[in-house]
Amino acid sequence: MKKSIVGITAALATLSTLSLWATPSAMADTYARANTEIALNNSSVMNAVHLIANDPWAGDSTSWLPVYYLDEAMQKLGFQASWNGDSYIWSLTVPNTYRLAPDVSNPPANQSLNSGRLAIALNGTIVEYAPRLVAPDPYSGVETTYVPIYYIMQVMKRVGITATWNGTMWNMTTPSGTGSSPTVNSNVVTQQSMADQMWAMFDAKTWDVYTHPTMSEAGVTPSATAPVTAGDVANYLSDWASHAIGYEAQGYGETAPSFHWFSIQYTASTNPFDWGEINGLYDNTGVTSANQTLTPSQAQTVLSNLQWWLNGYKVLPDGAYELHMPLTCYYVAYADEVNAQSPYTLADYEAVLTEDAKFYDEVTLQKSGNDWLLTLPNTEGSPTNVAWDVNYGNWAYGYQGGPNGAGDYGGKTFSVHFQPGVGFSIGLNSLDENAFGDTTGIPASKTTLMPLYVLDTLGMQSASDLPSGLSI
């Protein structure tokens, strides 16, 4: 079990009221992000985010792929792959069982390596040099190395791999009889293969998790042969969260703070499948039942949706960020809203969280010149009368002034002038339930807004869990 640094207690009161974060980012205006699928022999094996930035050697805008995820893909083919951040060399070692010997003839002339230039080596021989860009990995928040696709393609040719790129999918096709089968095969997705991919996503989340439990520690025992169902996925996610996410807090009825793990009991539904469905886990899959077996295509979509949930956002084809309520522990909200002294029932509580998840997942942010375009879906007429409450520096929209304040229901796009170093606070409040609702805070940079982290203030997440450089 790997344990992360947590400092929940000291920041609880701060996070419940403060929701503007800032961090410097010198390269924020030099690239855009877009979703990526990495595939082996036309079968998707993982999701990543690539960058769109200028290639300083070619002078053209191009796509850059993260070396960390390319490492994982090459390892699935049996290659040894490693990145050395001190020597700036990405090393690939071809397995002895590979049918083709690597072509290391005609190596390029020696070049000096530095933070902006790396080398790619095959079996110890440098065969390519490439520009290097460093940026935070949206999945983990860790600074990672990106390389333009052109240079990677040149290396793949030397080992007989045909690499193709269509703007969203990087596919590597191996010569007949070489390589290993990808995790998701063309016929069936097993419980084990799905759990493996989910755990890779969980382990990549380096902030706002108390521990990184193994499958065994989380009580997950997937079959290596049984097909995975939609319900299996939700159960795996709930089991992981109940051993990974939590914080110390004092809720209603407690005389002192204590530690509280995530529990499905505190969410919008105590049924894991329904909880996943409410939070978009099965969006665009056609899945309607927990017992439904997932096809490879459905499994990949579910994994993409899971990543959206874990991140708190995803990148749309037009570059806009579509937000998502983060996965967090709602113990304090549950304790305060569902108790003997509260006028509200469990059904009331679950209804608000359900509506918050539905509408928040439709919020988009997109940069337009020196302005941000914020689109809020229309909540008017919703069963619990939820209204928006948005703040961005000196700009505000929505519900104000206590439980009896008038509601603002969105259904429009706002053009908001960019304010350096300021992030968004976006909330939904039920006017029928004493303004109970959910609010997220999105850290910002001093040059542009990039929602690498979406904090759920209702879940009492701690700013001390954020990577270095982000602060309240």
Side-chain angles (χ1 to χ4, degrees), residues 198 220 230-240 272-273 275 282:
M198 292 174 69
V220 173
D232 291 334
V233 174
N235 287 327
Y236 298 162
L237 178 58
S238 176
D239 290 341
W240 170 79
F273 174 78
W275 166 64
Y282 311 107

Side-chain angles (χ1 to χ4, degrees), residues 66-76 81-83 90 92:
V67 168
Y68 175 84
Y69 296 96
L70 291 172
D71 264 0
E72 291 193 6
M74 297 306 294
Q75 288 166 8
K76 289 179 182 294
S82 64
W83 163 251
W90 183 35
L92 299 173

Side-chain angles (χ1 to χ4, degrees), residues 115-248:
S115 60
R117 174 180 298 172
L118 60 78
I120 305 174
L122 281 176
N123 287 9
T125 299
I126 292 176
V127 296
E128 191 74 30
Y129 292 94
R132 175 179 180 245
L133 189 154
V134 178
D137 172 15
Y139 290 172
S140 67
V142 176
E143 295 284 318
T144 193
T145 290
Y146 293 79
V147 184
I149 58 171
Y150 169 81
Y151 305 91
I152 306 170
M153 285 180 169
Q154 306 315 303
V155 177
M156 295 299 101
K157 291 177 183 177
R158 289 178 175 267
V159 290
I161 291 176
T162 301
T164 58
W165 173 246
N166 65 7
T168 58
M169 176 180 282
W170 172 263
N171 182 56
M172 293 185 289
T173 302
T174 58
S176 177
T178 65
S180 303
S181 299
T183 304
V184 180
N185 63 47
S186 59
N187 299 313
V188 65
V189 183
T190 66
Q191 293 179 357
Q192 185 68 60
S193 66
M194 192 67 174
D196 286 343
Q197 292 179 91
M198 292 174 69
W199 247 258
M201 291 180 177
F202 299 153
D203 289 343
K205 187 173 174 62
T206 59
W207 73 281
D208 200 43
V209 286
Y210 185 67
T211 63
H212 284 92
T214 64
M215 288 185 205
S216 177
E217 289 169 336
V220 173
T221 56
S223 166
T225 57
V228 71
T229 66
D232 291 334
V233 174
N235 287 327
Y236 298 162
L237 178 58
S238 176
D239 290 341
W240 170 79
S242 64
H243 292 79
I245 296 175
Y247 50 76
E248 184 174 292

